[in-house]
Amino acid sequence: MKKNGADIFVASLLKEKVDTIFGFPGGAVLDIYDSIFECKIKHILVRHEQGAVHMADGYARATGKPGVVLVTSGPGATNAVTGLATAYMDSIPMVCFTGQVPTALIGNDAFQEADIVGITRPCTKHNYLVKDVKDLTKIIKEAFHIATTGRPGPVLIDLPKDILKAETEFIYPDEADISSYQPTYKGHRGQVKKAVDLILSSKKPVVYAGGGVLLSGAATELTKFSRKLGLPTTNTLMGLGGFPGTDPLFLGMLGMHGTYAANMAVTNTDCLIAIGSRFDDRVTGKIDEFAPYAKIIHIDIDPTSISKNVDVDIPIVGDVKHVLKEILAKLPDAKAIKTYKKQTAEWRDTVNEWAEKHKLGYREPKNGMLNPQYVIERLYEHTKGDAIIATEVGQNQMWAAQFFKYAKPRTFLSSGGLGTMGYGLPAAIGAQVAFPNKTVINIAGDGSIQMNIQEMATAVQYGLPVKIAILNNRFLGMVRQWQELFYDKRYSHTCMGAQPDFVKLAEAYGAVGYRAKTKEEVEEVITASLKIKDRPVIMDFTVNPMEGVYPMVPAGQPINKMLLV
Amino acid sequence: MRHTISILVTNEFGVLSRVSGLFSGRGFNIESLCVAETTDPGISCMTIVSIGEERVLEQITKQLHKLVNVIKVHEFTKEERIERELALIKVQVTAENRAELLSVVEIFKAKVVDVSPKSYTIEITGDHDKIMAVLELLRPFGIKELVRTGSVAMARSPKTK
């Protein structure tokens, strides 16, 4: 039976087992909106297209399934760009459909026309302009395949309006067959063997695990690997939750705001095992002095990540889960492992001494104000860690990474690579859509939250009980901290002079708003908020504006040169 | 260091901008770029000459591989390739120096493809060094106009005895 492009779109999404779309209608996609009006797929109507993409991103990070976005042409598409760039930097699987003016008008500066394929070429893994309705199913199949395999990423499909009206037979391919796209999953056997030998010969090993562990679903394998060999393990921001934050072998995050123990361990290790991480500048600090004594093993599915920033001794191109399984299979018998653990016992002691010497902490402010870190600790205690945490970007993000312990994968949603303020609220909404009964908290700053605050209405419309904890210091705190430390306390344009009353704002949206200024109020507000199950809540915590994120490695310094609390 | 890279890509619209965008977006330099269909109309061959260190080259080739439309990437080393460029050079000519100009043309096995009372247009093919050498010799005559293609390259067949 013949179907038009819009119906083919819906039928294809059903074939891909898509259950949720985040979108915003407009002229160019009216045909699709007509088709999805009465279909099984849930559509979440957002208030701004950037919100739609971050929601799909949060949905993807929380579930592991690709997020799906539908927006119209022109401004609808350009508004999606920041979200796509965010997902691209963090390798999040996503398929974004944009409307486009009819084929005959492309290039004519038509109403709501933008060359979105051109615009998003550098911030998508791949993109398509559909020029013939007969290609539509093949392209959708390929897009989902590309988005979810290899190093995942967002794929965009641009749909001209006439394609949505044109008719053809609906035949959905079983497989995507792209000869020029064949990611490597299995590690090279010889390299795996070399890696095992190197690890077993080391005395001071450290595992440095990143977002690749979560993307490949390898948290179990990583945990098994580190525990079996007694390897101190640190996570990048993107990797949090990939190794239990509650494990005694866990060193905390490394890098610019990493723990003393993690940064010292990486600086002194003789064998750095990098797993699904990419030696980002926020992790390495001064690159020449990063892990100076180490032989480096690097497992990554993306060959371009290997030896990009740091020369690697044993590269293994492959999927983290596959390679860790291969490594686990090659480990020697219990006796040999016992000997190895003896050989590294002194190192573990040293690492534990570092951890004891400078724990993560903060000073109680003399002015009696709340500490932002304290609020996060209380959120952790109240939820017993059983929550999905989304963050905005800046101090709130770093404190959320430091002071909340992530025991399970896919529970920490944060824009790591691009550092997109305004990410947290929509990402939390996306996660809440996927898991309606879980506690989802967006840890926010008063600056970031205002970048996508309009999505409060989306959360209210769908009865999503997202909790928003605003660490309100009336400053763009991270920038203020840099100004304090490196720009002679010249606080140029970082003070938010005017600010909405967030409690009233929540109420105006039809949500709940609370404010806390004291420790007692913190308890009341968190307890009350966690009980709300049918609408979003804003918790406005008035916190000490002069608090900073520590430890801190000043930009360009080696990571063992930390400013401590 | 000058590197010649040959890239097989699917012959689709937008592929050239994906490749050139990758170079500009990542700060890689393109000295020249040539692209045309291969014997298979579904596949094009691009030849790109880029200048950079070994490490940069490694990133370029890996990043190119990552593009979905790229089928094959090959970097030529000096010994194994035949490399050619083509140049059209319009040179001022007078009755006095015409003979001298023609001798330069002869020496380089170039061709005169257009003649007017005041200028000759010369066509020459050769590798990069040969083109540079002929330009050097023609400069004193007065070059009125110059157009050059980028390099194309092909691996030499293995020599068997």
Side-chain angles (χ1 to χ4, degrees):
Chain A
M1 205 187 83
K2 286 198 169 184
K3 284 180 191 280
N4 70 20
D7 289 338
I8 289 174
F9 166 87
V10 174
S12 302
L13 260 53
L14 288 169
K15 286 274 184 192
E16 291 294 335
K17 301 192 172 60
V18 172
D19 54 20
T20 312
I21 304 178
F22 301 91
F24 197 96
V29 285
L30 270 170
D31 291 275
I32 291 184
Y33 271 87
D34 194 56
S35 290
I36 62 170
F37 190 41
E38 286 174 334
C39 88
K40 289 196 300 192
I41 303 172
K42 183 195 280 179
H43 177 277
I44 303 290
L45 174 64
V46 302
R47 296 301 182 271
H48 186 291
E49 289 87 351
Q50 187 188 349
V53 188
H54 291 326
M55 283 178 207
D57 177 312
Y59 174 94
R61 289 187 209 226
T63 60
K65 295 191 284 185
V68 179
V69 178
L70 173 61
V71 296
T72 193
S73 64
T78 54
N79 276 346
V81 171
T82 301
L84 291 168
T86 304
Y88 184 59
M89 284 289 264
D90 290 346
S91 312
I92 303 305
M94 181 185 293
V95 180
C96 177
F97 295 89
T98 51
Q100 182 56 278
V101 301
T103 316
L105 287 180
I106 291 178
N108 275 339
D109 301 326
F111 177 65
Q112 293 197 327
E113 180 184 357
D115 172 17
I116 200 64
V117 169
I119 290 169
T120 59
R121 218 169 263 138
C123 64
T124 52
K125 185 170 172 188
H126 195 55
N127 60 17
Y128 294 91
L129 169 65
V130 184
K131 292 176 127 182
D132 186 335
V133 70
K134 292 195 188 73
D135 299 334
L136 184 55
T137 51
K138 178 175 173 280
I139 287 175
I140 294 177
K141 183 82 212 174
E142 285 187 8
F144 277 90
H145 177 67
I146 292 169
T148 53
T149 53
R151 178 174 176 178
V155 177
L156 180 137
I157 302 178
D158 203 19
L159 301 164
K161 185 156 183 170
D162 55 317
I163 301 290
L164 299 175
K165 289 186 181 294
E167 292 194 345
T168 191
E169 289 294 328
F170 175 69
I171 304 163
Y172 202 70
D174 294 328
E175 275 178 30
D177 176 27
I178 315 168
S179 60
S180 55
Y181 173 77
Q182 305 287 345
T184 309
Y185 277 76
K186 283 190 69 177
H188 185 277
R189 283 179 63 179
Q191 293 294 91
V192 171
K193 174 81 175 55
K194 273 195 212 166
V196 171
D197 290 346
L198 177 64
I199 295 166
L200 292 176
S201 70
S202 69
K203 292 193 174 70
K204 302 173 177 179
V206 170
V207 172
Y208 145 49
V213 172
L214 301 169
L215 294 167
S216 97
T220 314
E221 286 76 12
L222 173 67
T223 309
K224 205 168 161 189
F225 169 66
S226 291
R227 283 185 181 158
K228 199 161 187 182
L229 294 178
L231 306 169
T233 299
T234 172
N235 276 148
T236 65
L237 181 76
M238 294 304 302
L240 291 174
F243 186 77
T246 45
D247 194 287
L249 286 168
F250 187 59
L251 304 176
M253 184 170 73
L254 82 164
M256 181 173 274
H257 293 294
T259 63
Y260 182 76
N263 285 350
M264 291 303 285
V266 168
T267 303
N268 291 285
T269 177
D270 65 351
C271 175
L272 184 69
I273 308 157
I275 305 177
S277 47
R278 59 183 177 89
F279 297 85
D280 177 82
D281 54 277
R282 283 292 188 268
V283 160
T284 62
K286 191 179 180 187
I287 200 100
D288 309 333
E289 293 178 41
F290 180 73
Y293 312 110
K295 293 265 187 203
I296 301 177
I297 298 164
H298 189 186
I299 306 167
D300 203 292
I301 198 158
D302 180 2
T304 65
S305 286
I306 291 175
S307 294
K308 181 169 70 177
N309 302 333
V310 169
D311 284 327
V312 168
D313 299 283
I314 303 177
I316 304 177
V317 177
D319 173 60
V320 166
K321 192 183 179 90
H322 279 74
V323 175
L324 280 177
K325 277 187 174 165
E326 286 155 28
I327 289 179
L328 285 167
K330 281 216 162 46
L331 291 182
D333 58 15
K335 203 178 144 199
I337 288 177
K338 209 173 161 189
T339 315
Y340 175 67
K341 281 174 125 173
K342 235 179 238 167
Q343 165 185 321
T344 54
E346 196 184 322
W347 167 244
R348 271 188 301 278
D349 291 343
T350 310
V351 171
N352 287 337
E353 279 162 30
W354 282 324
E356 281 302 313
K357 189 173 166 194
H358 292 289
K359 287 184 181 170
L360 281 173
Y362 50 88
R363 292 204 183 97
E364 292 287 336
K366 292 192 184 90
N367 56 15
M369 290 185 81
L370 279 176
N371 263 87
Q373 301 96 326
Y374 172 80
V375 174
I376 294 172
E377 286 177 340
R378 295 314 299 158
L379 286 170
Y380 179 75
E381 293 302 327
H382 277 267
T383 57
K384 300 182 183 67
D386 186 18
I388 296 174
I389 302 294
T391 78
E392 302 290 343
V393 168
Q395 290 183 319
N396 62 80
Q397 177 185 33
M398 291 299 118
W399 287 321
Q402 292 176 331
F403 289 90
F404 201 97
K405 294 190 213 37
Y406 302 91
K408 289 187 199 139
R410 303 195 176 282
T411 54
F412 179 70
L413 321 174
S414 193
S415 168
L418 197 67
T420 309
M421 288 171 72
Y423 170 82
L425 174 58
I429 292 173
Q432 189 82 76
V433 168
F435 298 105
N437 300 320
K438 280 201 178 165
T439 303
V440 181
I441 305 173
N442 174 34
I443 295 180
D446 52 295
S448 289
I449 192 64
Q450 293 186 70
M451 285 215 179
N452 270 319
I453 190 82
Q454 77 286 346
E455 300 309 328
M456 284 296 291
T458 307
V460 169
Q461 177 168 341
Y462 297 95
L464 300 166
V466 173
K467 319 283 185 268
I468 301 142
I470 303 177
L471 307 174
N472 189 345
N473 54 17
R474 304 187 82 90
F475 267 102
L476 298 172
M478 186 59 96
V479 184
R480 188 209 59 77
Q481 181 175 341
W482 282 56
Q483 289 172 334
E484 177 188 329
L485 295 170
F486 313 117
Y487 292 86
D488 298 329
K489 301 190 179 175
R490 287 160 55 83
Y491 298 127
S492 177
H493 301 278
T494 41
C495 180
M496 303 296 256
Q499 201 175 54
D501 178 329
F502 287 109
V503 174
K504 283 188 188 158
L505 187 65
E507 285 161 3
Y509 274 114
V512 180
Y514 296 122
R515 181 168 293 118
K517 293 181 172 177
T518 64
K519 288 188 175 176
E520 294 71 38
E521 287 169 356
V522 168
E523 297 309 297
E524 288 164 22
V525 164
I526 295 178
T527 308
S529 296
L530 290 175
K531 283 185 186 145
I532 294 169
K533 304 287 182 201
D534 62 344
R535 69 190 74 184
V537 191
I538 286 183
M539 298 174 262
D540 184 17
F541 298 103
T542 306
V543 299
N544 179 20
M546 288 301 137
E547 189 56 37
V549 180
Y550 295 99
M552 177 173 189
V553 180
Q557 293 287 314
I559 58 170
N560 61 338
K561 299 276 187 296
M562 286 163 269
L563 306 174
L564 297 161
V565 174
Chain B
M1 178 79 184
R2 202 163 174 268
H3 303 281
T4 307
I5 309 162
S6 166
I7 311 159
L8 290 183
V9 297
T10 53
N11 189 2
E12 285 170 42
F13 111 123
V15 176
L16 175 61
S17 69
R18 281 182 210 284
V19 171
S20 61
L22 187 148
F23 273 77
S24 59
R26 295 199 173 262
F28 304 147
N29 157 302
I30 294 183
E31 172 142 300
S32 76
L33 187 155
C34 270
V35 52
E37 217 172 88
T38 62
T39 51
D40 179 346
I43 296 174
S44 295
C45 180
M46 288 186 192
T47 310
I48 295 183
V49 177
S50 178
I51 292 178
E53 294 163 24
E54 213 55 43
R55 193 194 183 90
V56 173
L57 179 77
E58 189 186 324
Q59 261 300 307
I60 293 177
T61 48
K62 283 174 168 181
Q63 292 286 356
L64 284 168
H65 265 298
K66 222 166 112 173
L67 294 178
V68 171
N69 299 111
V70 170
I71 299 162
K72 200 176 160 194
V73 182
H74 180 75
E75 201 260 320
F76 292 102
T77 52
K78 192 134 196 150
E79 333 58 87
E80 55 160 342
R81 74 171 180 274
I82 308 155
E83 194 171 329
R84 292 290 179 270
E85 292 178 29
L86 182 146
L88 295 173
I89 312 159
K90 192 178 280 178
V91 185
Q92 281 181 355
V93 66
T94 58
E96 293 76 42
N97 65 15
R98 186 166 291 138
E100 193 188 344
L101 176 64
L102 286 172
S103 81
V104 173
V105 168
E106 177 110 347
I107 291 164
F108 282 91
K109 294 201 177 90
K111 273 194 286 187
V112 177
V113 289
D114 187 41
V115 180
S116 79
K118 287 183 176 172
S119 69
Y120 275 19
T121 301
I122 294 160
E123 174 196 310
I124 179 157
T125 59
D127 62 17
H128 185 72
D129 292 346
K130 181 176 170 185
I131 306 280
M132 296 311 284
V134 85
L135 284 175
E136 194 60 36
L137 286 178
L138 292 177
R139 197 153 284 133
F141 293 89
I143 296 175
K144 293 172 79 175
E145 211 180 328
L146 166 69
V147 285
R148 290 167 70 175
T149 66
S151 289
V152 290
M154 186 181 268
R156 283 189 189 277
S157 302
K159 303 280 181 285
T160 45
K161 281 174 189 167

